[in-house]
Amino acid sequence: MYIDDSLVKQAIEDRRYLHQHPELSGKEYETHAFIRQRLESLKIEILNYQAPSVVGFVKGTNGNKTIALRADIDALPIVEEGDKPYISKNPGVAHACGHDGHTAVLLAVADWLSKNREQVAPNIMLIFQSAEEITPSGADQLIQQGVLDKVDAIYGIHLWQGMEKGKIGLTHGPMMASVDDFEITIQGSGGHGSMPHETVDSIYVATQVIQAFQSIISRNLNPIDSGVITVGKMEAGTTYNIIPEQAKLIGTIRALTPHAVKTIQTQMVKLTEGICQAYGAKGQVDFICGTPPLVNDREKAVFIESVIRNGFGEDVLTLVDPVMGGEDFSYYLQKKPGAFIFVGMSGEKSQYPHHHPKFDLDEDVFPDAIKLFIEIMKNHD
C-alpha cells in the first residue's frame, strides 16, 4: 500500500507545529483545539469526553465492531537543546518523547479515513489522549469516563528510538513494565558522631535496607520474571559530625507482571520492618502506585504480526524484548484486548534516547507508522 506524499507532508508539518508548541500533561488545551479543528474540518464526529483529550469517531461499513487507535499528546518539563529549526517555543517544555509524532501520525490516519471510509469495516475511534506522562494517568481518566465501553479492541504505537530504523516490533505478552514509586522513612535516634553507641544510626540502617532489597530480585522473584528496585535518592543528616535520627529513601520499582509487583512490594515491607527492628529503629514504607505492566493480548499480537508481514515484509517484523520503561496504554489493555507496537527509528537523526534534551524524531518513519494504522483498520474483522 502506497501512502500519498501529501499525507506525509501534512503529518510532518503538523508534527513540527506541535513540537514548537508543547504543553505539559493535563494542560494541552491549545493542542486540544488544534486536533479538534482538524477533525471537524475532516467531518469526523467528536465524542463528548473531557478536555484536553479529544476522541473522534467514524462509523465503518459494517459497524458491528469498534476498534480504537490511540495517540498521546503531552510534552515533558525539559529544556530542549539543539539547533533544529522547529525547536520548542515554550521555555522549559519539550516534546522529548515523541508524542508530537504520535499525534501527527494519527491525524494523518484520520485524514485518510475521512476520504476512504468505504475501505474500513469496523467503527474507528480515534483517541488523542492527554497526560500520559503523569499520575493520575490520562488513559485511566478516559476509561473512567467510559471511553472503552463499546470498544472491542485497541491499538497504539510508539515511535521508538531504541529499535533499528525500518523495523516494526512487539511482544506476545508483557512488553513494558509497571511504574511504582516508594518512600521509606527510617526513624532512629540521633546523637554526636563521636558516640555512635548512644544512637540508632538511621543512615547505617538505611544502607542495610538498600543492600537487602537486591536479595528480593535475586532470591524472592521468579528468575523467569523481571524486576528492578532502584533507590534514586537518600535524604539524611545536616552536618558532618551529627548522626541523624531520620533517613528517607526514595525510589522506583519496575516489573512485568502483577504477581512480580506484589512480590516485590510485600518483601520490601518485610525487609524494611525486620531490619529496622533488629537495629532498634522503626521503618515505614509507602508506595505511590503508577501504571501497571503493559501486556499485549496474544491473539491481537498474532494479528499485528500478520499485518506487518503482509503489509511490510518478513524482514521488517521484530519480536522485541520487553523494556522496563512504563506506558499508560497498559490501562487500556487491562480492560480490552489489543496491542502496543514499536516503530523503530534509531539512527543519525534519532540518536538521543527518549526524554533527553536533544531527543528528536526521524520523520522518515512517518509513512510506515501511518500505513501500519491504516492496515490495522483495513484488515480488522
mmCIF file of all heavy atoms in Angstrom, residues 115-141:
data_model
loop_
_atom_site.group_PDB
_atom_site.id
_atom_site.type_symbol
_atom_site.label_atom_id
_atom_site.label_comp_id
_atom_site.label_asym_id
_atom_site.label_seq_id
_atom_site.Cartn_x
_atom_site.Cartn_y
_atom_site.Cartn_z
ATOM 1 N N LYS A 115 -11.470 10.140 3.840
ATOM 2 C CA LYS A 115 -11.593 10.034 2.385
ATOM 3 C C LYS A 115 -11.782 8.605 1.908
ATOM 4 O O LYS A 115 -12.061 8.369 0.720
ATOM 5 C CB LYS A 115 -10.353 10.631 1.718
ATOM 6 C CG LYS A 115 -10.111 12.105 2.017
ATOM 7 C CD LYS A 115 -8.818 12.573 1.370
ATOM 8 C CE LYS A 115 -8.557 14.061 1.603
ATOM 9 N NZ LYS A 115 -8.295 14.368 3.022
ATOM 10 N N ASN A 116 -11.605 7.620 2.798
ATOM 11 C CA ASN A 116 -11.641 6.209 2.394
ATOM 12 C C ASN A 116 -12.498 5.372 3.345
ATOM 13 O O ASN A 116 -12.178 4.225 3.642
ATOM 14 C CB ASN A 116 -10.216 5.650 2.352
ATOM 15 C CG ASN A 116 -9.338 6.342 1.335
ATOM 16 O OD1 ASN A 116 -9.337 6.013 0.147
ATOM 17 N ND2 ASN A 116 -8.567 7.326 1.813
ATOM 18 N N ARG A 117 -13.601 5.927 3.795
ATOM 19 C CA ARG A 117 -14.442 5.236 4.769
ATOM 20 C C ARG A 117 -14.959 3.903 4.240
ATOM 21 O O ARG A 117 -15.172 2.965 5.007
ATOM 22 C CB ARG A 117 -15.624 6.125 5.172
ATOM 23 C CG ARG A 117 -15.199 7.448 5.795
ATOM 24 C CD ARG A 117 -16.391 8.343 6.096
ATOM 25 N NE ARG A 117 -15.951 9.697 6.494
ATOM 26 C CZ ARG A 117 -16.339 10.313 7.593
ATOM 27 N NH1 ARG A 117 -17.184 9.735 8.410
ATOM 28 N NH2 ARG A 117 -15.904 11.532 7.872
ATOM 29 N N GLU A 118 -15.149 3.825 2.934
ATOM 30 C CA GLU A 118 -15.703 2.610 2.341
ATOM 31 C C GLU A 118 -14.741 1.427 2.417
ATOM 32 O O GLU A 118 -15.147 0.269 2.213
ATOM 33 C CB GLU A 118 -16.093 2.867 0.884
ATOM 34 C CG GLU A 118 -14.941 2.971 -0.099
ATOM 35 C CD GLU A 118 -14.160 4.287 -0.034
ATOM 36 O OE1 GLU A 118 -14.625 5.210 0.677
ATOM 37 O OE2 GLU A 118 -13.104 4.389 -0.692
ATOM 38 N N GLN A 119 -13.466 1.665 2.744
ATOM 39 C CA GLN A 119 -12.485 0.590 2.826
ATOM 40 C C GLN A 119 -12.347 -0.005 4.233
ATOM 41 O O GLN A 119 -11.582 -0.936 4.433
ATOM 42 C CB GLN A 119 -11.115 1.107 2.371
ATOM 43 C CG GLN A 119 -11.044 1.534 0.915
ATOM 44 C CD GLN A 119 -9.615 1.838 0.480
ATOM 45 O OE1 GLN A 119 -8.679 1.117 0.834
ATOM 46 N NE2 GLN A 119 -9.450 2.899 -0.292
ATOM 47 N N VAL A 120 -13.083 0.527 5.177
ATOM 48 C CA VAL A 120 -12.922 0.117 6.578
ATOM 49 C C VAL A 120 -14.243 -0.426 7.116
ATOM 50 O O VAL A 120 -15.247 0.292 7.153
ATOM 51 C CB VAL A 120 -12.440 1.300 7.440
ATOM 52 C CG1 VAL A 120 -12.330 0.887 8.899
ATOM 53 C CG2 VAL A 120 -11.094 1.813 6.921
ATOM 54 N N ALA A 121 -14.232 -1.694 7.547
ATOM 55 C CA ALA A 121 -15.459 -2.338 8.028
ATOM 56 C C ALA A 121 -15.830 -1.943 9.459
ATOM 57 O O ALA A 121 -16.977 -1.585 9.728
ATOM 58 C CB ALA A 121 -15.334 -3.853 7.903
ATOM 59 N N PRO A 122 -14.906 -2.011 10.414
ATOM 60 C CA PRO A 122 -15.301 -1.698 11.798
ATOM 61 C C PRO A 122 -15.427 -0.197 12.025
ATOM 62 O O PRO A 122 -14.871 0.621 11.281
ATOM 63 C CB PRO A 122 -14.151 -2.280 12.632
ATOM 64 C CG PRO A 122 -12.970 -2.232 11.732
ATOM 65 C CD PRO A 122 -13.495 -2.468 10.343
ATOM 66 N N ASN A 123 -16.162 0.172 13.057
ATOM 67 C CA ASN A 123 -16.144 1.556 13.517
ATOM 68 C C ASN A 123 -14.749 1.871 14.053
ATOM 69 O O ASN A 123 -14.085 1.009 14.637
ATOM 70 C CB ASN A 123 -17.171 1.770 14.628
ATOM 71 C CG ASN A 123 -18.569 1.357 14.217
ATOM 72 O OD1 ASN A 123 -18.966 1.558 13.072
ATOM 73 N ND2 ASN A 123 -19.314 0.773 15.143
ATOM 74 N N ILE A 124 -14.331 3.113 13.872
ATOM 75 C CA ILE A 124 -12.997 3.527 14.330
ATOM 76 C C ILE A 124 -13.137 4.653 15.350
ATOM 77 O O ILE A 124 -13.786 5.672 15.089
ATOM 78 C CB ILE A 124 -12.115 4.005 13.163
ATOM 79 C CG1 ILE A 124 -12.002 2.904 12.085
ATOM 80 C CG2 ILE A 124 -10.739 4.418 13.676
ATOM 81 C CD1 ILE A 124 -11.342 1.621 12.557
ATOM 82 N N MET A 125 -12.509 4.456 16.492
ATOM 83 C CA MET A 125 -12.414 5.504 17.495
ATOM 84 C C MET A 125 -10.980 6.017 17.517
ATOM 85 O O MET A 125 -10.037 5.237 17.634
ATOM 86 C CB MET A 125 -12.819 4.973 18.875
ATOM 87 C CG MET A 125 -12.873 6.030 19.956
ATOM 88 S SD MET A 125 -13.413 5.355 21.555
ATOM 89 C CE MET A 125 -15.145 5.089 21.216
ATOM 90 N N LEU A 126 -10.819 7.326 17.385
ATOM 91 C CA LEU A 126 -9.502 7.962 17.357
ATOM 92 C C LEU A 126 -9.303 8.685 18.689
ATOM 93 O O LEU A 126 -9.941 9.700 18.957
ATOM 94 C CB LEU A 126 -9.422 8.954 16.199
ATOM 95 C CG LEU A 126 -9.709 8.375 14.801
ATOM 96 C CD1 LEU A 126 -9.938 9.494 13.804
ATOM 97 C CD2 LEU A 126 -8.571 7.483 14.344
ATOM 98 N N ILE A 127 -8.423 8.142 19.523
ATOM 99 C CA ILE A 127 -8.215 8.683 20.864
ATOM 100 C C ILE A 127 -6.929 9.491 20.900
ATOM 101 O O ILE A 127 -5.829 8.952 20.751
ATOM 102 C CB ILE A 127 -8.149 7.554 21.911
ATOM 103 C CG1 ILE A 127 -9.451 6.745 21.926
ATOM 104 C CG2 ILE A 127 -7.864 8.126 23.291
ATOM 105 C CD1 ILE A 127 -9.418 5.542 22.859
ATOM 106 N N PHE A 128 -7.063 10.803 21.091
ATOM 107 C CA PHE A 128 -5.926 11.689 21.308
ATOM 108 C C PHE A 128 -5.899 11.981 22.799
ATOM 109 O O PHE A 128 -6.661 12.805 23.303
ATOM 110 C CB PHE A 128 -6.083 12.967 20.489
ATOM 111 C CG PHE A 128 -6.072 12.740 18.998
ATOM 112 C CD1 PHE A 128 -7.235 12.418 18.317
ATOM 113 C CD2 PHE A 128 -4.887 12.844 18.279
ATOM 114 C CE1 PHE A 128 -7.235 12.214 16.934
ATOM 115 C CE2 PHE A 128 -4.871 12.638 16.896
ATOM 116 C CZ PHE A 128 -6.052 12.317 16.233
ATOM 117 N N GLN A 129 -5.027 11.309 23.505
ATOM 118 C CA GLN A 129 -5.089 11.239 24.966
ATOM 119 C C GLN A 129 -4.131 12.187 25.661
ATOM 120 O O GLN A 129 -2.938 12.234 25.374
ATOM 121 C CB GLN A 129 -4.794 9.809 25.409
ATOM 122 C CG GLN A 129 -4.767 9.610 26.911
ATOM 123 C CD GLN A 129 -3.743 8.603 27.341
ATOM 124 O OE1 GLN A 129 -3.755 7.475 26.862
ATOM 125 N NE2 GLN A 129 -2.834 8.979 28.234
ATOM 126 N N SER A 130 -4.663 12.920 26.606
ATOM 127 C CA SER A 130 -3.882 13.794 27.468
ATOM 128 C C SER A 130 -3.127 12.987 28.524
ATOM 129 O O SER A 130 -3.471 11.852 28.838
ATOM 130 C CB SER A 130 -4.841 14.781 28.144
ATOM 131 O OG SER A 130 -4.253 15.428 29.244
ATOM 132 N N ALA A 131 -2.080 13.605 29.081
ATOM 133 C CA ALA A 131 -1.479 13.186 30.353
ATOM 134 C C ALA A 131 -0.994 11.740 30.404
ATOM 135 O O ALA A 131 -1.300 11.015 31.336
ATOM 136 C CB ALA A 131 -2.467 13.444 31.495
ATOM 137 N N GLU A 132 -0.180 11.343 29.424
ATOM 138 C CA GLU A 132 0.429 10.014 29.502
ATOM 139 C C GLU A 132 1.579 9.990 30.502
ATOM 140 O O GLU A 132 1.852 8.963 31.116
ATOM 141 C CB GLU A 132 0.939 9.590 28.122
ATOM 142 C CG GLU A 132 1.378 8.131 28.049
ATOM 143 C CD GLU A 132 2.806 7.881 28.539
ATOM 144 O OE1 GLU A 132 3.672 8.767 28.355
ATOM 145 O OE2 GLU A 132 3.056 6.802 29.115
ATOM 146 N N GLU A 133 2.234 11.128 30.661
ATOM 147 C CA GLU A 133 3.488 11.175 31.403
ATOM 148 C C GLU A 133 3.334 11.307 32.915
ATOM 149 O O GLU A 133 4.342 11.310 33.627
ATOM 150 C CB GLU A 133 4.346 12.352 30.901
ATOM 151 C CG GLU A 133 4.803 12.229 29.448
ATOM 152 C CD GLU A 133 5.935 11.235 29.254
ATOM 153 O OE1 GLU A 133 6.358 10.619 30.246
ATOM 154 O OE2 GLU A 133 6.382 11.075 28.104
ATOM 155 N N ILE A 134 2.126 11.453 33.423
ATOM 156 C CA ILE A 134 1.967 11.704 34.854
ATOM 157 C C ILE A 134 0.938 10.764 35.472
ATOM 158 O O ILE A 134 0.232 10.034 34.778
ATOM 159 C CB ILE A 134 1.546 13.166 35.133
ATOM 160 C CG1 ILE A 134 0.137 13.450 34.563
ATOM 161 C CG2 ILE A 134 2.564 14.148 34.604
ATOM 162 C CD1 ILE A 134 -0.453 14.766 35.022
ATOM 163 N N THR A 135 0.887 10.804 36.794
ATOM 164 C CA THR A 135 -0.168 10.152 37.556
ATOM 165 C C THR A 135 -0.952 11.247 38.273
ATOM 166 O O THR A 135 -0.344 12.113 38.886
ATOM 167 C CB THR A 135 0.428 9.174 38.579
ATOM 168 O OG1 THR A 135 1.180 8.166 37.875
ATOM 169 C CG2 THR A 135 -0.653 8.503 39.400
ATOM 170 N N PRO A 136 -2.299 11.268 38.185
ATOM 171 C CA PRO A 136 -3.156 10.270 37.561
ATOM 172 C C PRO A 136 -3.057 10.272 36.034
ATOM 173 O O PRO A 136 -2.920 11.324 35.419
ATOM 174 C CB PRO A 136 -4.559 10.660 38.034
ATOM 175 C CG PRO A 136 -4.465 12.117 38.330
ATOM 176 C CD PRO A 136 -3.081 12.343 38.842
ATOM 177 N N SER A 137 -3.150 9.095 35.478
ATOM 178 C CA SER A 137 -2.962 8.865 34.052
ATOM 179 C C SER A 137 -4.159 9.336 33.235
ATOM 180 O O SER A 137 -5.310 9.139 33.616
ATOM 181 C CB SER A 137 -2.741 7.370 33.823
ATOM 182 O OG SER A 137 -3.255 6.942 32.598
ATOM 183 N N GLY A 138 -3.856 9.930 32.080
ATOM 184 C CA GLY A 138 -4.924 10.323 31.169
ATOM 185 C C GLY A 138 -5.695 9.146 30.626
ATOM 186 O O GLY A 138 -6.910 9.235 30.387
ATOM 187 N N ALA A 139 -5.022 8.018 30.419
ATOM 188 C CA ALA A 139 -5.711 6.819 29.952
ATOM 189 C C ALA A 139 -6.715 6.337 30.987
ATOM 190 O O ALA A 139 -7.872 6.027 30.668
ATOM 191 C CB ALA A 139 -4.700 5.718 29.650
ATOM 192 N N ASP A 140 -6.285 6.277 32.240
ATOM 193 C CA ASP A 140 -7.177 5.836 33.313
ATOM 194 C C ASP A 140 -8.376 6.759 33.444
ATOM 195 O O ASP A 140 -9.509 6.306 33.645
ATOM 196 C CB ASP A 140 -6.393 5.785 34.625
ATOM 197 C CG ASP A 140 -7.120 5.015 35.712
ATOM 198 O OD1 ASP A 140 -7.892 4.088 35.378
ATOM 199 O OD2 ASP A 140 -6.930 5.332 36.892
ATOM 200 N N GLN A 141 -8.164 8.052 33.300
ATOM 201 C CA GLN A 141 -9.257 9.014 33.389
ATOM 202 C C GLN A 141 -10.273 8.802 32.271
ATOM 203 O O GLN A 141 -11.487 8.843 32.503
ATOM 204 C CB GLN A 141 -8.702 10.436 33.363
ATOM 205 C CG GLN A 141 -7.890 10.800 34.600
ATOM 206 C CD GLN A 141 -7.220 12.149 34.488
ATOM 207 O OE1 GLN A 141 -7.443 12.901 33.559
ATOM 208 N NE2 GLN A 141 -6.355 12.454 35.447
#
